[in-house]
Amino acid sequence: MTEIVSGRIPRHGRRIIGIWLVLTAVAVPLIVLVLGPHLPPGRMTAEAASQRDANVLMTALLVPIALLVVVCFVYSFAVFRQRGEVILDGPPLKGHAGAQLFWIVLTSLIVLALAVWGSYTLIAGSHGAGGGQGPDPVAKPNGYQHALPVQVIGQQWEWTFRYPTYGGLETRDLAIPNHVLVAFHVTSIDVTHSFWAYELGVKADAVPGVDNVAYVHAHKTGFFQIRCAELCGLWHGHMAKKGRVLSSSAFQAWIAAAKTKNAAVMAYLPKYNRVYFPAPLRRAG
Amino acid sequence: MSATAIAVRPPVWRRVIGFNMLTGLALGISGWFLGGWIGGQMAVGHDYLLGTDQNDVGIFMGYLFAIIGWLVGLGFANYPIGRLLGRSPTLREHETAGWTRYFKMCTDHKVVGIQYLFGVGIFFFIGGLNAMLMRTELLRPVERPWPAGQYLTLVSLHGTMMIMMTSAFILGPFGNYFVPLMIGARRMAFPRIEALTFWLVPAAGLILMSAIAFGGIATGWTGYSPLADEGRAGMDAYVTAFILIAISLTLVGLNLLVTILTMRAPGLTWTRLPIFVWGVLATSVLMVLAAPVLVATMTMVLMDRAANTSFFLASAGGSQYLYQNLFWFFGHPEVYILALPGFGIVLEILPVFARKPLWGYRLAVAGMLGVTLLSFMVWQHHLFVSGMNAGLRPFYMLTTELISIPTGFIFLNAIGTLWRARIRFTVPMLFALAFFFNFLIGGLSGVFLSDVPSDVTTHGSYFVMAHFHYTIMGGLVFAFFGAVYYWLPKMLGVTLNETLAKIHFWMMFVFFNLTFFPLFAAGFLDMPRRVSTYAPHLQVLNDFVSASAFMLGFSMLIFIANLVWSLVFARVPALANPWASRGLEWQLPTPVPTENFERIPVITSGPYEYGVAGAPPVADFTPAALPAAGS
């Protein structure tokens, strides 16, 4: 305020830009190098990696925007503050066409760039990014015709899995082979669930009467967490289990073991189908 | 006036008997039993009802007759019946002085505003208590102390009640009270409809809470079918309450829309309209267009449950995508019904305490109208992983991200208004500024959700939950408290204690952020929403959030203590214009006379001409005394 009294108008704009540049120069490398590797959902699959890249890029883009707004506000609080009881009016500035135009153009460019980049990574870059694409996927990865189909059936309150390539084998735990394109066919036999395989970067609603396809291509073997991401009733929080990405040979061994284990059950299972319609539910189940 | 009122005041029993809330409750309860009996008779011989252990027809008929009884008891039938019997039309009812008018159908917009303030405030408090109970459950990763079913009912009641009540959080109290005062009108366009919109709210709230007695609600506030179809009788309460609220919202919007379009005082051009009124106007458009869709949706759920239709049941040829589309076609404009009044309030408060004109007034209006338009084109971003119409996802990604452009206008308005201003940090100003901080985080986290690859991770997780609490609680509720501290001196005629108010603000701001910011991390660490059990390694995070949430809840008690202290004990009378505001509503005496304006004023200037040399006063209150042109 002293500068105003002395008659010299301080260059508020330059100071704000300066503070913002310093903060951004500190924040962005921290985000990319320190926070970035910890952002979800990791790099277990190509789809998960695309989501992680999206999360890192957006954090690195949005934090500077937030910093700019916060710096403008906090600078104003500190410099343009009026203390004491006396009420004085400020300068009657009603707007500035250039500043408004600049802001509109800048935000529009950022938004359009985000939308174009998001659409590109979704369709071409990551083939649906692990999200459920419905019965008729738009973004198909190369060689999708030869993808290993794995059916995921949601019901209250359990996930079951069927492998049509292995005679419609049904299991209660999920394993997929490494370095093989997998097509999850997610469906439900009662209410809406959502199949969420966290480390795989897969999320697809399990909808009764719908075959919801999501592609995933695993790079690493290991465990991944399965959860339900759509409220499905009383034990929604308990629809969690661990799935596994296995090497090809281990996967074949696992299939063989599962076939033996479930042989007695297979006789009673309905034929493999894309969707199932059991008898309508009774109320208060 | 008061002397004659005391002289003819009838005895207490005479004031209790008559058309008021007590009679409404009595007739409502009687209606419940009558309707239940009629519904029981209707259900005889219908196998699909006998196949379940509850008769939904009876429950819906009970609610229907209870609502009719409630409204008749409040006196809403008197006027139409009187007109049928040939009585002459009247405009005003129960505009007498005294506290009993707050418990009756009253057509004075100022009484309705205060009814809304306390009515919605009580439901906000109950919804907040639900949140405290939820955070108690989440102290441990197992189902203690509430079993899973009770926890889900708490989640659903919290969500439903907050969405239903906060939809009218600003338009109800402040829209009804201040829009006529700000546009120079003596009343709202449809005063009887205005009274109806309020009295539907307690009915909806009581019916919603009756779900506790009928097996609870297991669906969350979104009520997705077919889970809703399988739910117990508590779902009937959810459906009925939502229908009532949607009718109320439609009528609120219609009433405010017509009032603003037709009843502005002479000289109040569109560029002189207070920005809060613009916010109300934009919200009203959303309400009129979106809320009827909810009535239709909920009626379809009602039919599925009670009349054996199958709109949403895949096994009988329906589709739950239909429900999700209809629900979010209402539901996404709904979130802007929650955001736009907040924009209006903070932009109304900023110029008063920055002592500068609102910077970029037209840009602010364009921003609000842009949000209104775009809000109808984004709803499928709630369905990015649902498997529906994957080809349309880039379109909805684009429209969702486009909304951040008009929203950004509001931030530029704020930055411009604070630029070289003379900022005074009064309590309303603190809340308005906190709005911008919270909404900034809420809005930018929304960009993650709008991007499909990122949304695949965050959809249905606590990240979403943190995001919309930043926009609704951090945005709307902070704007609401800004409005409370700004306008309550005019509404209730008392000054609130400033020290307690500042403690309230700082506690609420700090603990709000400590509660909800860690929940972004919980979402990133794969914690789904609406679970009563979670991964054990997230317990430290959840305990921290719960502790912060309890302190956040405690800050609300400070506000209530302040309100009770200032209103009942201290009673420091408020000045007519304590903030030295140029707003038309502040030029009126406190308390505001029943007729508002002795003569309809002529607006001579905009409301934000702070520091403008030679700006005329905002209005001429004795227009007959205007000098002749040219003199």
Side-chain angles (χ1 to χ4, degrees):
Chain A
M1 298 305 286
T2 48
E3 287 125 322
I4 292 174
V5 174
S6 70
R8 195 170 68 86
I9 298 171
R11 303 198 163 177
H12 302 301
R14 286 191 186 183
R15 285 191 200 165
I16 287 178
I17 297 292
I19 298 170
W20 173 70
L21 279 176
V22 170
L23 289 175
T24 301
V26 174
V28 170
L30 279 179
I31 289 166
V32 175
L33 300 174
V34 179
L35 182 67
H38 301 288
L39 282 179
R43 312 194 72 96
M44 193 175 204
T45 65
E47 288 69 22
S50 79
Q51 294 168 28
R52 206 208 64 144
D53 293 345
N55 287 333
V56 174
L57 190 133
M58 272 193 295
T59 315
L61 179 72
L62 296 178
V63 166
I65 295 175
L67 282 176
L68 179 63
V69 176
V70 170
V71 168
C72 284
F73 271 78
V74 174
Y75 185 88
S76 301
F77 299 166
V79 177
F80 306 130
R81 178 165 191 180
Q82 180 69 44
R83 290 175 190 278
E85 292 299 305
V86 62
I87 297 175
L88 292 171
D89 286 348
L93 312 171
K94 290 191 171 181
H96 186 284
Q100 295 178 12
L101 193 67
F102 175 74
W103 180 274
I104 294 172
V105 170
L106 184 72
T107 51
S108 304
L109 285 178
I110 294 173
V111 161
L112 288 175
L114 268 177
V116 168
W117 169 75
S119 302
Y120 171 78
T121 54
L122 173 68
I123 304 288
S126 67
H127 309 295
Q133 301 195 56
D136 216 5
V138 180
K140 298 187 188 93
N142 293 331
Y144 71 95
Q145 304 93 332
H146 310 296
L148 173 75
V150 178
Q151 186 172 49
V152 179
I153 304 168
Q155 61 179 300
Q156 288 171 323
W157 290 275
E158 177 64 297
W159 297 109
T160 46
F161 309 94
R162 293 193 78 169
Y163 294 83
T165 2
Y166 301 99
L169 167 72
E170 180 173 282
T171 62
R172 290 189 59 198
D173 42 10
L174 174 62
I176 59 168
N178 197 10
H179 299 303
V180 171
L181 183 67
V182 173
F184 284 117
H185 292 259
V186 184
T187 187
S188 163
I189 55 171
D190 41 42
V191 302
T192 310
H193 306 266
S194 189
F195 174 67
W196 184 11
Y198 175 68
E199 284 88 350
L200 296 188
V202 170
K203 195 175 278 157
D205 279 7
V207 178
V210 174
D211 172 34
N212 193 4
V213 179
Y215 294 105
V216 72
H217 197 152
H219 291 323
K220 281 194 286 195
T221 57
F223 287 95
F224 57 88
Q225 181 67 47
I226 299 167
R227 292 187 189 283
C228 178
E230 186 61 66
L231 179 58
C232 56
L234 202 55
W235 301 112
H236 163 58
H238 288 268
M239 284 181 75
K241 54 174 72 171
K242 290 275 186 191
R244 276 178 293 172
V245 178
L246 301 172
S247 65
S248 286
S249 53
F251 179 73
Q252 293 304 333
W254 179 83
I255 285 282
K259 269 188 176 166
T260 325
K261 187 177 157 195
N262 292 309
V265 184
M266 289 301 290
Y268 299 96
L269 281 180
K271 204 170 151 304
Y272 176 83
N273 206 335
R274 285 156 67 88
V275 294
Y276 304 89
F277 290 107
L281 293 168
R282 285 169 64 106
R283 192 64 50 76
Chain B
M1 163 68 194
S2 59
T4 50
I6 288 164
V8 298
R9 181 174 278 186
V12 171
W13 67 268
R14 186 63 194 83
R15 283 185 281 152
V16 173
I17 306 291
F19 292 101
N20 58 30
M21 208 170 100
L22 278 180
T23 318
L25 268 180
L27 288 187
I29 292 168
S30 318
W32 160 256
F33 287 107
L34 176 67
W37 179 77
I38 293 173
Q41 300 302 308
M42 287 166 71
V44 170
H46 290 284
D47 288 348
Y48 68 90
L49 286 169
L50 299 176
T52 63
D53 64 350
Q54 72 201 25
N55 174 4
D56 292 294
V57 177
I59 295 167
F60 280 122
M61 291 302 279
Y63 284 136
L64 178 66
F65 278 75
I67 295 159
I68 294 173
W70 165 255
L71 293 178
V72 168
L74 278 161
F76 280 96
N78 297 4
Y79 181 76
I81 291 175
R83 291 289 286 145
L84 282 175
L85 296 177
R87 291 210 197 109
S88 55
T90 56
L91 193 59
R92 287 163 183 270
E93 291 168 33
H94 297 301
E95 289 188 6
T96 50
W99 56 271
T100 49
R101 67 189 160 151
Y102 293 107
F103 298 93
K104 286 176 178 165
M105 172 197 175
C106 183
T107 52
D108 183 348
H109 71 94
K110 298 185 287 300
V111 174
V112 176
I114 289 172
Q115 285 172 334
Y116 255 114
L117 184 68
F118 284 91
V120 176
I122 288 168
F123 283 114
F124 176 69
F125 191 72
I126 298 172
L129 280 180
N130 287 334
M132 297 297 109
L133 296 177
M134 284 154 63
R135 286 317 312 181
T136 309
E137 172 93 345
L138 294 170
L139 281 170
R140 278 187 278 180
V142 290
E143 273 92 0
R144 298 282 185 282
W146 331 116
Q150 276 187 25
Y151 177 78
L152 271 188
T153 299
L154 283 174
V155 171
S156 310
L157 280 180
H158 168 75
T160 316
M161 198 170 280
M162 287 302 197
I163 289 289
M164 286 180 9
M165 302 309 158
T166 53
S167 304
F169 212 30
I170 285 180
L171 261 59
F174 305 115
N176 281 314
Y177 197 107
F178 285 106
V179 163
L181 301 185
M182 291 171 114
I183 65 172
R186 289 200 170 119
R187 59 176 176 88
M188 295 277 281
F190 306 112
R192 261 180 227 95
I193 285 184
E194 188 190 15
L196 177 67
T197 60
F198 169 71
W199 285 107
L200 287 175
V201 171
L206 291 173
I207 287 173
L208 182 67
M209 281 194 285
S210 73
I212 300 169
F214 294 127
I217 307 169
T219 59
W221 84 275
T222 47
Y224 273 17
S225 268
L227 186 62
D229 191 67
E230 137 194 334
R232 301 188 70 107
M235 277 317 289
D236 298 339
Y238 165 92
V239 167
T240 314
F242 244 145
I243 290 177
L244 280 186
I245 280 291
I247 292 172
S248 171
L249 289 182
T250 314
L251 294 176
V252 168
L254 194 69
N255 199 1
L256 283 163
L257 197 60
V258 175
T259 307
I260 297 169
L261 289 180
T262 63
M263 293 173 71
R264 281 168 295 127
L268 187 54
T269 56
W270 289 112
T271 49
R272 285 180 184 166
L273 200 63
I275 202 71
F276 172 66
V277 181
W278 271 111
V280 170
L281 185 70
T283 314
S284 302
V285 172
L286 289 181
M287 282 179 166
V288 169
L289 293 178
V293 180
L294 182 66
V295 179
T297 316
M298 286 300 148
T299 309
M300 289 157 93
V301 178
L302 188 156
M303 297 298 275
D304 270 7
R305 287 180 61 84
N308 213 16
T309 58
S310 58
F311 290 109
F312 307 128
L313 305 179
S315 49
S319 167
Q320 56 101 53
Y321 287 147
L322 176 63
Y323 180 85
Q324 294 185 9
N325 269 312
L326 286 171
F327 184 82
W328 289 115
F329 187 79
F330 150 78
H332 207 84
E334 163 69 21
V335 307
Y336 292 100
I337 289 175
L338 301 176
L340 282 168
F343 292 172
I345 285 199
V346 293
L347 291 185
E348 184 72 32
I349 290 175
L350 277 189
V352 178
F353 301 105
R355 303 309 295 180
K356 272 184 65 199
L358 177 63
W359 194 88
Y361 175 94
R362 281 160 202 259
L363 194 70
V365 174
M368 288 178 179
L369 298 182
V371 169
T372 307
L373 185 69
L374 283 170
S375 70
F376 281 101
M377 304 180 190
V378 300
W379 80 93
Q380 279 200 8
H381 65 214
H382 295 271
L383 309 172
F384 273 159
V385 297
S386 71
M388 181 178 58
N389 249 340
L392 278 176
R393 291 190 298 183
F395 171 75
Y396 285 102
M397 185 174 356
L398 174 68
T399 54
T400 306
E401 286 168 358
L402 281 180
I403 275 206
S404 53
I405 299 175
T407 311
F409 292 177
I410 308 297
F411 281 87
L412 185 65
N413 293 131
I415 292 170
T417 307
L418 295 176
W419 188 252
R420 292 172 58 201
R422 293 175 182 272
I423 303 168
R424 287 186 298 145
F425 288 101
T426 57
V427 178
M429 186 66 164
L430 290 174
F431 275 101
L433 295 172
F435 170 97
F436 283 100
F437 180 77
N438 297 336
F439 206 89
L440 180 69
I441 297 179
L444 292 180
S445 60
V447 180
F448 285 83
L449 296 166
S450 73
D451 182 78
V452 181
S454 187
D455 183 63
V456 174
T457 309
T458 45
H459 181 91
S461 76
Y462 258 80
F463 189 93
V464 179
M465 185 272 196
H467 156 71
F468 70 73
H469 277 83
Y470 258 96
T471 54
I472 298 177
M473 170 113 199
L476 179 85
V477 176
F478 274 76
F480 169 80
F481 279 111
V484 162
Y485 285 108
Y486 181 60
W487 275 322
L488 221 55
K490 180 60 72 184
M491 293 172 87
L492 300 179
V494 296
T495 306
L496 292 167
N497 183 303
E498 200 182 342
T499 312
L500 280 174
K502 286 202 164 155
I503 297 173
H504 169 215
F505 168 76
W506 283 110
M507 276 193 72
M508 186 171 159
F509 179 66
V510 169
F511 287 108
F512 164 78
N513 279 289
L514 288 182
T515 302
F516 290 103
F517 202 82
L519 291 177
F520 286 118
F524 267 167
L525 295 169
D526 93 313
M527 181 161 165
R529 290 167 67 186
R530 298 157 166 173
V531 291
S532 45
T533 183
Y534 54 86
H537 67 269
L538 292 176
Q539 191 178 0
V540 176
L541 185 69
N542 273 291
D543 286 357
F544 178 80
V545 168
S546 288
S548 307
F550 297 145
M551 294 304 286
L552 179 62
F554 182 73
S555 74
M556 296 296 160
L557 294 182
I558 295 178
F559 168 71
I560 292 172
N562 190 358
L563 194 64
V564 171
W565 167 255
S566 306
L567 202 57
V568 180
F569 299 105
R571 291 205 68 85
V572 181
L575 300 172
N577 190 358
W579 315 115
S581 167
R582 278 182 59 90
L584 184 61
E585 76 276 22
W586 290 106
Q587 315 309 320
L588 290 164
T590 303
V592 183
T594 312
E595 290 286 318
N596 298 351
F597 299 95
E598 215 167 299
R599 320 180 68 135
I600 294 297
V602 171
I603 310 297
T604 47
S605 166
Y608 308 117
E609 306 285 303
Y610 299 102
V612 178
V618 71
D620 185 350
F621 290 91
T622 51
L626 271 179
S631 66

